[in-house]
Amino acid sequence: MGVLPVPAEVRAILLDIEGTTTPIAFVQETLFPYIKDNVKEYLRAHWEEEECQRDVGLLRKQAQEDSGLDGAVPIPLESGSGEEELERVIQAVVDNVHWQMSLDRKTTALKQLQGHMWRAAYATGHVKGEIFEDVVPAIRKWREAGMKVYIYSSGSIEAQKLLFGYSTEGDILELFDGHFDTKIGPKVESESYRRIAASIGCATNNILFLTDVPREANAAEEADTHVAVVIRPGNAGLTDDEKSYYSLISSFTELFLPSST
């Protein structure tokens, strides 16, 4: 892989999180299991709070929309008839969350509850966001060279800010000029990258997108965005065609910025 020169017209670097700044194992083996293991306890502790009730309301609405799907778990309304019924409703919410997560659903309702649970976990020190050790020094160098740095992840903006705000490197949110999630569009659709460029006030070819997912790289490339695919421990392997087609890096330190010389 070696050194990858960054095209002179690039003014902004757009970063994926999972498999790019952060080990996939952190997401798969820490963040998601935390939700599965703690959702019942969280619901019991916060049930009466307005935020929790909004989360449950969104999940219930999603469950109604999902009612025709195989294995879908309905969430009944409470009738206020005591502790036993409350436990039954909470268990239905737990079962619904587990079902959605087993299918790797990305529904707004699920992401919202997960975000609120992770916020509590980060704030109490139960979870710290893992960052590859080359990430922070490289971003500082890019910023010194005048680059803007943005995040684009399928995780919600709130979840992104928690990961970087409570990271193994401390609070590093100051390193980023902005955050995007799938509200701007799916990462596998080229139009999303055009919207991001418009949002940050530049052309698509002023952006370099770093991701570990070839489908995302392809979508960005279709929008005339520069792309490099990141090879990290634990990432999915690439085909021989993908290896020969894409620019590859295994560390952010491999990016060479002409403006930094």
Side-chain angles (χ1 to χ4, degrees), residues 12-210:
I13 297 178
L14 183 64
L15 302 173
D16 168 50
I17 292 179
E18 187 179 349
T20 299
T21 67
T22 297
I24 283 178
F26 171 69
V27 179
Q28 301 297 339
E29 297 171 16
T30 300
L31 284 186
F32 288 141
Y34 180 86
I35 301 295
K36 288 180 180 173
D37 295 344
N38 292 280
V39 62
K40 182 181 277 190
E41 182 185 337
Y42 177 88
L43 290 168
R44 283 175 174 159
H46 299 276
W47 190 260
E48 301 298 330
E49 296 169 19
E50 188 179 332
E51 181 179 82
C52 186
Q53 283 301 305
R54 282 199 304 270
D55 292 347
V56 171
L58 261 187
L59 286 164
R60 186 177 281 121
K61 187 173 176 227
Q62 184 64 50
Q64 289 167 348
E65 292 174 17
D66 292 341
S67 61
L69 298 179
D70 188 38
V73 180
I75 302 173
L77 287 164
E78 285 179 85
S79 60
S81 61
E83 202 65 32
E84 197 174 309
E85 188 218 33
L86 175 59
E87 275 300 305
R88 199 159 51 244
V89 175
I90 287 176
Q91 188 60 52
V93 177
V94 172
D95 292 344
N96 180 279
V97 166
H98 285 182
W99 172 73
Q100 289 203 60
M101 291 182 70
S102 73
L103 298 176
D104 197 25
R105 302 285 299 282
K106 309 282 189 194
T107 63
T108 299
L110 178 62
K111 286 200 290 187
Q112 183 168 298
L113 175 68
Q114 288 172 331
H116 292 152
M117 285 186 63
W118 287 326
R119 181 181 64 199
Y122 281 114
T124 54
H126 284 104
V127 172
K128 276 191 184 295
E130 288 185 34
I131 312 292
F132 287 114
E133 61 181 17
D134 57 280
V135 169
V136 171
I139 293 177
R140 291 196 195 283
K141 194 172 177 184
W142 300 342
R143 291 178 64 88
E144 284 166 14
M147 284 287 172
K148 300 282 190 183
V149 182
Y150 298 88
I151 295 292
Y152 182 28
S153 172
S154 57
S156 69
I157 288 173
E158 180 177 25
Q160 296 172 29
K161 289 183 174 179
L162 288 168
L163 192 156
F164 293 116
Y166 296 92
S167 85
T168 49
E169 304 289 328
D171 182 351
I172 56 170
L173 283 171
E174 65 176 15
L175 297 180
F176 305 109
D177 294 282
H179 297 257
F180 299 95
D181 59 18
T182 50
K183 285 180 181 171
I184 203 146
K187 296 174 76 181
V188 294
E189 291 184 6
S190 56
E191 188 56 37
S192 304
Y193 300 89
R194 296 187 187 98
R195 291 192 195 109
I196 287 172
S199 175
I200 64 181
C202 68
T204 50
N205 73 343
N206 297 142
I207 297 172
L208 170 63
F209 178 47
L210 304 184

